[in-house]
Amino acid sequence: MHAERLARTREAMAVAGVDVLLLSVGPDLPWLSGYEAMPLERLTMLVVPREGGATLVVPRLEAPRVVERPEVFSLRAWEETEDPVAIVADLARSATTAAIGDRTWARFLVDLQHRLPRTRFTRAGLVVGPLRAVKDDAEVVALRRAAEAADRVAAQLQAGEIALVGRTEAEVSADLGRRLLAEGHSRVNFAIVAAGPNAASPHHEPGVRRIAAGEVVLCDFGGTMPADGGAGYCSDITRCVHTGPPPAELADAYGVLAEAQAAAVAAARVGVACEDVDAAARRVISDAGLGAHFVHRTGHGIGIEEHEDPYVVAGNETPLAPGHAFSVEPGIYLPGRWGLRLEDIVVATPGGPDPLNRVDHDLVVVDA
Ligand code: ZN
Ligand code: ZN
Ligand code: ZN
């Protein structure tokens, strides 16, 4: 798996004219090597020359965490008294162009630029991003397992098994997170719980407000599910419930939203541009006179990262390819009043769009 990814990465490096790839914290490293760098002050960096062996430069005390993959890299553990930037610079010294991981700490890039004054630096995301966006079969399996676990938590929410009225948003958020872990996730990435007028803020931070009867509760949650090969894969789902029967205006808006979401999922066929999937959702909401209240893109790619290529947004002409995995999550937000969003993860396949989340798409009424 990793050796094959390394070969494809080297082909992309050749096309992009990149002589060496430098990967540190962030998702590119686990995708390519199975190892995730600790996001700490000591430098971890995989040095991948276009030809010749790759080297994982890692702090001595973190070396025991590394699962060695000799077909992909050799290990160079550095001692506390060594300068890891000098070690990387030495390995990369003949490079005219280096592509460095997008999330590498700026201090290491600045130090490397001093050490390699004749090397031009570009972003590794430009080389690895399009490769990572197209999932192989094992990655689709991992995303499906993550989605099924998230679906089980959403089903508990819709069945009224998660108490809402009288609890704070933060308490319900923590509850959702515990349930994601209980369903097999190793990490909770976010658990937005936004009730009543708070739901009009798409990235609301769950707070001390107590959930009342007769309001919408928007829950958008996801985490990372362990998978074979070292890197985990993300889930991300949004469902809204209503504590007691919803008012007609809100129920009508939800009907528009559900229609928009289904239209965008149906549009997500191989060969269709990402921006046309966005347009499919936006058209339904605009036709209902609510277009001004759909204030974000329709979706984002998902994989090792919760947000990655391809972005489902106007202006992105990238045609969908088999293996592209992304969210479809239109929303309608009325500031000061309420907000609604409906989100599934979808994979583009030759047989048509494959939604990984299958739990009920209705605005489910739970006991007030
Ligand atoms: Zn979001
Ligand atoms: Zn989400
Ligand atoms: Zn999302």
Side-chain angles (χ1 to χ4, degrees), residues 190 192 203 219-222 235-238 300 307 327 329 341 343 345:
F190 52 87
I192 297 171
H203 276 177
C219 298
D220 180 352
F221 50 93
S235 63
D236 185 2
I237 186 172
T238 306
H300 54 81
H307 290 181
S327 71
E329 51 175 310
R341 181 163 65 255
E343 174 178 27
I345 303 305

Side-chain angles (χ1 to χ4, degrees), residues 8-70:
R8 281 198 285 139
T9 299
R10 285 198 159 119
E11 283 171 25
M13 287 168 68
V15 170
V18 168
D19 303 305
V20 68
L21 193 65
L22 304 171
L23 301 181
S24 186
V25 294
D28 295 334
L29 179 58
W31 177 80
L32 191 54
S33 72
Y35 180 68
E36 184 170 354
M38 296 189 77
L40 299 174
E41 77 286 4
R42 293 181 179 91
L43 178 64
T44 295
M45 189 161 268
L46 180 69
V47 181
V48 186
R50 207 196 300 174
E51 275 145 34
T55 306
L56 183 63
V57 177
V58 69
R60 168 69 66 194
L61 78 167
E62 293 168 17
R65 304 176 71 241
V66 178
V67 176
E68 296 208 39
R69 293 188 164 85

